[in-house]
Amino acid sequence: MSYGQNGINGSLNGYHSGQTNHYGESQQEGGRRVRRAGGYGGFFESDLAEHPEPDQPLGPESPDPYNAPSVPSWRRREDIGAERSRQDVNGLRPYGNGPGARQIEGVVQHIQEKWSIMTTNDCVPAHIALQLMDNSSLGRGSDYDDFRETSKALQKALKAIVNEHHQGFNSSIGTFHKIQSSIQTSQNRVRTLKSSLLDAKSNLTVEKPELKGLAASSQNYDEMLQVLGQIEKVQTLPEHLDARISDKHFLSAVDILQDALRLIRNSNLESIGALADLRVYLNNQETSLIDILIEELHDHLYLKSPYCQSRWKAFTANSNETALGSDASTTPAAIQPLYQFLNGLNARSLMLDNLAENPESNSFEYIHMLLEALNKMGRLDVAVSRMEQRLPVELFAIVERTNHEVDVRHPAHLRSSFKDGWTGLQQALSEDSTRGEVLPDLLWTLYSKFEAVAEGHRVAHDVIAGIVEREGLRQTYALLGGFQELWKLFQSEMRSLLHDYLASDGSPLRRASNNSTTTTNIFQRSQRDKSKRVFKLASMDQQSAEMAVEQDELDKILQASVPGLVSKSHRLSGKTHGDRSVAYDGPAIGHKLLLEPSVFNISSLLPPSISFLQRLKDIVPSDSDIAISTLTSFLDDFLVNVFTPQLDDTLTELCNQVLLELDTFRQDPQWADHARRPILKGGFMFFSLIKAFCRILDAIPEDQNFTQLVITQLATFHDKCSAWYKALVTRAIPDGGTRFKSAAAMIESDDLGAVVKDLWKLNESDRAELKPKEVELLVSKTNETPLEPFDIISDRRSVEALCLLYSSMRWLASRLSSLRRVTGTQAGLSSDLIKGGQVNRWTAVSMGSVRDDEQPVYLPMSKDLAAIFDGIVSAYQDLAMKALLTLHVDMRCGIIHMLSRTFQAQYLLDQPANEPDPNILALNADLLSFDDTLMVHLPVPEYQFITNGLGILIDTLLVAYASRISLMNENGCGQMQLNVLVLQQNLKSIENDITLSRSSRYYEYFGEGADAIVSKAKETGGKDMGFNLEELEVLVKLCHSEPLQSSQRDLATQAKRALSDHLLQLSESMWNT
């Protein structure tokens, strides 16, 4: 085995000079090892002198091409052995667990593999030495370096072991001397005892008659001493009894009390009059101890003790973790405190009191101890009877305390009541964090306490059952029937909470408006609520000086009469009166409402209720009279018969309110919070209502009847929006009827409507081919049916309304599509299922945590309803498309109408025009207003779809409508050119790079004259002019229009002949074009 240059000193296993090597020794530059101080570090100093080690090169000079020194095989085996030893289950190693043990283990393994011959008894060292000196093939001279390295490693490992265990070696010497000394002392004591026994044996063999009289006298004295001892013991028992009661070790206290009563009622002590006061004291203590035990039992059953805080958890809004929803649901039943106690419970054997521990640290064990103490005193039936009597009061007090705690955590001004109108509707649909945390906080915390109460009663039930079986008691139903009464009270409280926080008498908005009407009338005399008490003892100031003096005096009296009860009464002094007042007023006033009732509270009410009922199934004992399968039947009955009809009415009423409000079809002031472009206020509120309803459906089991109700409301809202669209695009006619305005009517036609839809579907670069066709159809239709002022949607508010309608319908369609989720459920839930007993689907699902508001909301639907839903969403998109196409065509109809009015005038002016035509100015103003409205309310693609192509239309109309001009001279043509220029400049602010070149060139030909027009037509055949024969004929007629109207007959006749000649020449030149 060759190590090359990777020896111990140089670069062994990647450790360079100055670092610590594998055997725990540090190295310095130059390769010399420095021994650590202490222990037996000097044992092997001679090795350094006998075997000097040359300096080895550092890592970078190593011949290894990868600069990684090779590792000796025994060192690798040491690492493998260390890895195997770490996998040892018991953590034991043959040489210990220190670094030296790992070194020696590797060296021993290497010796066993390579030098095993030296471990045998017949090994001859001289023979091995000769072999190491022989470098031939028969010798082992090649292994000499490995022999030296192994020897050095063995010495270092032994040195490390000695360094590790030298303290143990030193201490063992002293321990040995101590053991030796103890043995010698024991031997001396045994010798002394042996001699004493021999002396006693010799004394007993001697007879003494006088001892008989002494024995009789001693017996009499013993009896007297026993009586005195009993009296002394009885006198000391009250002090021990008070100490056990104060420490709440009631099992020991009961044993002490029963021993004292048994002693004091003994016939030997009954005649002693000095014990009369003590006898009365012990009898009073028996009564008071029973009361203390029952009160302590109620404190732990109903979570009044501070040691019960760990049995329930309050709601935390950020993490949504509660005792029901998170920890308890994810914790296995085997390691939960209740099941740990029940698994280890052995009520058939007597319980022992551990005086070294705090008995209240484990609440369940404390309940067990209290019941065992009551059973020892023979008052177990009394305790069970009082538990049943106080159960309604205690549960009501738990609800009141929890209600008050939540009320303090959530201030009232942050959860204000609903208002009327839009504000009230927004409050009802809002996802306000404060309002959304109130009910989850109340329900999760309250049900966590209810579960802790149920666990306490389960512990009491199992302990009492074990005592009954152990003692062979009768009347088992009276002792074990309390769990059914507990369930009835749980059911009553849950039903009360559901009724209180769900609007049972109609819409919460109507209730709020009715309440506001009665309370805001300052002239109306308010009626006092006669169900509330005017005065309560609990309202007294408990911190006043007078109350403190009275309390101190009461404590002194209790201390003198019942020493163990003072601290207990002091702790309950401020609580008992409050609980009693609550109990007395409870049936009359009920619980305080923290929020206004609303059906939308179901998403906060139902999940904790169902989770509590599901967990209660595991707590109910198997031998109780409660049927587990029907544990949730009351909740199913409430949801089906009460909540479902109320939900239908509320949704219908809220949807109607959205539709009937005056602001429904106005712009939402907060549109930027939920949309990219302005939308209708009613559209946002309607979707918020649908989303809130879907959130309710997510909190309850799936029912297609609810989905059908939502789809019906979607169709109703679409019909309302469609009716509003028709009202915007409808005009009255003289005969008393109504009809669509021109733009709305044109998009319904097959030809123009199809072209406009194709334009919308194409990209901007592909629309150039269809734009001339659109212009041609528009001109044709307006020529057939001239436009009237009432045919144009000129009102800016109407244009804005159409834009809002388009944006709202597209926004609604997109949001509604995100709600779509197809499921396999087909059947709905109705009250008929109650009769058949098929109502478990309401409470069969697991709802163990609060739903996160950031989770997506869906509307579950079957395949059939999904088809209807898709049709309604398509209807929303179609209505949005109608509004967009109407805006597109109406803008062009407005241009056509204004230009047609412009060309109905005569352009026979006496002087050049300095201003454009008033109709042109009005058209520019309309276009800019239309453009501003579109830019604000529509996205860029829709805006470009409407505004692009206006130049082509105006350029075409300026030429086509020239035929409507009856007279025109040069000044009139100049005004027309000014009109063209003004329109062109205005259009550039709407559509980039627009020029009215064709119409401008058309009227430039008028200035050149009819002869120039005809001659140019002859030269080019009309191909380069860009106009057809009809347009040029109109232009030639306009050139001769002024002479034709001349009062001089010669000029008129001459102009008429010239016109005929020009028209003939023009037709001959362009007949083939």
Side-chain angles (χ1 to χ4, degrees), residues 929-942:
S929 175
F930 211 114
D931 178 72
D932 292 341
T933 304
L934 295 178
M935 185 177 296
V936 171
H937 293 85
L938 293 181
V940 175
E942 287 79 354

Side-chain angles (χ1 to χ4, degrees), residues 237-368:
L237 286 179
E239 182 180 355
H240 294 291
L241 177 62
D242 295 342
R244 294 293 180 266
I245 294 176
S246 299
D247 296 338
K248 296 187 178 182
H249 290 286
F250 293 110
L251 277 178
S252 300
V254 170
D255 292 338
I256 293 174
L257 180 60
Q258 289 181 345
D259 290 342
L261 290 174
R262 185 170 57 253
L263 288 175
I264 207 167
R265 292 170 184 173
N266 191 3
S267 59
N268 296 330
L269 301 180
E270 284 185 356
S271 59
I272 301 176
L275 300 178
D277 295 338
L278 183 59
R279 188 177 294 106
V280 173
Y281 168 78
L282 292 176
N283 291 330
N284 292 336
Q285 280 290 72
E286 182 180 16
T287 304
S288 62
L289 183 56
I290 293 174
D291 295 336
I292 293 174
L293 291 174
I294 294 177
E295 195 63 37
E296 288 288 337
L297 179 61
H298 281 81
D299 283 356
H300 279 260
L301 283 178
Y302 303 109
L303 314 177
K304 299 179 185 179
S305 173
Y307 293 96
C308 298
Q309 299 297 321
S310 60
R311 289 172 51 190
W312 63 275
K313 286 189 177 182
F315 173 80
T316 53
N318 294 330
S319 60
N320 287 339
E321 292 184 358
T322 61
L324 295 176
S326 177
D327 294 342
S329 61
T330 58
T331 303
I335 62 176
Q336 291 184 17
L338 172 64
Y339 300 105
Q340 284 183 347
F341 173 80
L342 294 179
N343 292 335
L345 176 63
N346 184 13
R348 298 179 181 178
S349 60
L350 293 176
M351 183 180 183
L352 300 178
D353 195 356
N354 187 357
L355 301 179
E357 296 182 357
N358 182 6
E360 284 192 288
S361 60
N362 189 332
S363 183
F364 295 149
E365 292 287 350
Y366 191 62
I367 293 174
H368 184 194

Side-chain angles (χ1 to χ4, degrees), residues 1013-1022 1025 1065-1066 1068-1070:
I1013 295 173
V1014 172
S1015 61
K1016 193 166 186 178
K1018 288 181 179 180
E1019 293 175 1
T1020 62
M1025 298 183 69
Q1065 295 178 18
L1066 191 62
E1068 290 177 352
S1069 302
M1070 300 182 64

Side-chain angles (χ1 to χ4, degrees), residues 23-90:
Y23 298 101
E25 299 176 355
S26 60
Q27 297 177 349
Q28 296 179 346
E29 295 182 4
R32 298 298 298 173
R33 292 175 294 175
V34 179
R35 302 283 182 180
R36 293 182 298 175
Y40 299 89
F43 278 3
F44 302 101
E45 284 293 328
S46 60
D47 295 340
L48 293 176
E50 295 177 1
H51 304 285
E53 295 173 348
D55 294 340
Q56 299 293 337
L58 297 177
E61 300 177 3
S62 175
D64 190 354
Y66 294 98
N67 196 19
S70 60
V71 181
S73 60
W74 59 268
R75 184 70 56 84
R76 291 195 297 270
R77 294 187 186 97
E78 176 186 353
D79 295 338
I80 296 174
E83 181 66 24
R84 291 175 179 174
S85 63
R86 283 192 294 268
Q87 299 175 359
D88 188 1
V89 177
N90 298 324

Side-chain angles (χ1 to χ4, degrees), residues 279-501:
R279 188 177 294 106
V280 173
Y281 168 78
L282 292 176
N283 291 330
N284 292 336
Q285 280 290 72
E286 182 180 16
T287 304
S288 62
L289 183 56
I290 293 174
D291 295 336
I292 293 174
L293 291 174
I294 294 177
E295 195 63 37
E296 288 288 337
L297 179 61
H298 281 81
D299 283 356
H300 279 260
L301 283 178
Y302 303 109
L303 314 177
K304 299 179 185 179
S305 173
Y307 293 96
C308 298
Q309 299 297 321
S310 60
R311 289 172 51 190
W312 63 275
K313 286 189 177 182
F315 173 80
T316 53
N318 294 330
S319 60
N320 287 339
E321 292 184 358
T322 61
L324 295 176
S326 177
D327 294 342
S329 61
T330 58
T331 303
I335 62 176
Q336 291 184 17
L338 172 64
Y339 300 105
Q340 284 183 347
F341 173 80
L342 294 179
N343 292 335
L345 176 63
N346 184 13
R348 298 179 181 178
S349 60
L350 293 176
M351 183 180 183
L352 300 178
D353 195 356
N354 187 357
L355 301 179
E357 296 182 357
N358 182 6
E360 284 192 288
S361 60
N362 189 332
S363 183
F364 295 149
E365 292 287 350
Y366 191 62
I367 293 174
H368 184 194
M369 183 188 69
L370 294 173
L371 292 173
E372 288 284 0
L374 288 168
N375 179 59
K376 278 189 175 183
M377 301 187 70
R379 296 295 187 268
L380 186 60
D381 54 344
V382 176
V384 173
S385 177
R386 291 193 187 179
M387 287 169 55
E388 293 180 358
Q389 293 173 6
R390 293 178 56 175
L391 185 56
V393 177
E394 297 290 352
L395 284 183
F396 190 89
I398 288 177
V399 179
E400 280 298 303
R401 288 199 301 269
T402 307
N403 210 38
H404 178 70
E405 293 170 1
V406 176
D407 191 13
V408 172
R409 286 197 293 267
H410 304 280
H413 68 277
L414 298 178
R415 40 184 173 88
S416 57
S417 59
F418 289 132
K419 300 180 180 180
D420 197 8
W422 278 111
T423 305
L425 185 60
Q426 290 175 351
Q427 288 180 352
L429 303 180
S430 65
E431 299 178 4
D432 183 74
S433 59
T434 303
R435 290 179 57 87
E437 292 176 3
V438 174
L439 282 183
D441 190 358
L442 174 64
L443 270 296
W444 286 111
T445 305
L446 178 61
Y447 288 148
S448 178
K449 293 182 179 180
F450 277 0
E451 183 184 1
V453 171
E455 289 178 350
H457 278 266
R458 172 65 186 275
V459 170
H461 177 276
D462 287 12
V463 171
I464 294 174
I467 293 174
V468 168
E469 184 178 357
R470 183 184 70 208
E471 303 291 341
L473 302 177
R474 298 182 180 180
Q475 300 178 352
T476 56
Y477 180 79
L479 296 176
L480 301 176
F483 218 97
Q484 186 174 8
E485 184 66 22
L486 176 67
W487 161 238
K488 291 180 180 178
L489 293 173
F490 278 163
Q491 178 178 334
S492 176
E493 290 293 342
M494 294 178 66
R495 185 184 291 109
S496 175
L497 288 172
L498 292 174
H499 275 284
D500 289 344
Y501 286 102

Side-chain angles (χ1 to χ4, degrees), residues 782-783 786-792 794 893-907 917-923 926 957-958 961-962 964-966 975-976 979:
T782 52
N783 289 336
L787 297 175
E788 298 179 2
F790 295 105
D791 287 327
I792 309 302
S794 58
C893 289
I895 295 174
I896 294 173
H897 174 66
M898 295 302 295
L899 289 180
S900 64
R901 291 176 58 183
T902 302
F903 282 89
Q904 289 177 0
Q906 295 181 357
Y907 285 84
D917 193 277
N919 291 323
I920 298 298
L921 295 177
L923 175 59
D926 292 342
L957 292 177
L958 289 174
Y961 284 172
R964 301 184 180 185
I965 303 176
S966 57
Q975 186 179 23
M976 184 59 66
N979 292 340

Side-chain angles (χ1 to χ4, degrees), residues 1006 1010 1035-1045 1055 1058-1059 1062:
F1006 178 88
L1035 189 58
V1036 170
K1037 290 178 182 180
L1038 289 176
C1039 292
H1040 292 283
S1041 61
E1042 184 180 7
L1044 287 174
Q1045 299 296 329
L1059 176 60
H1062 286 159

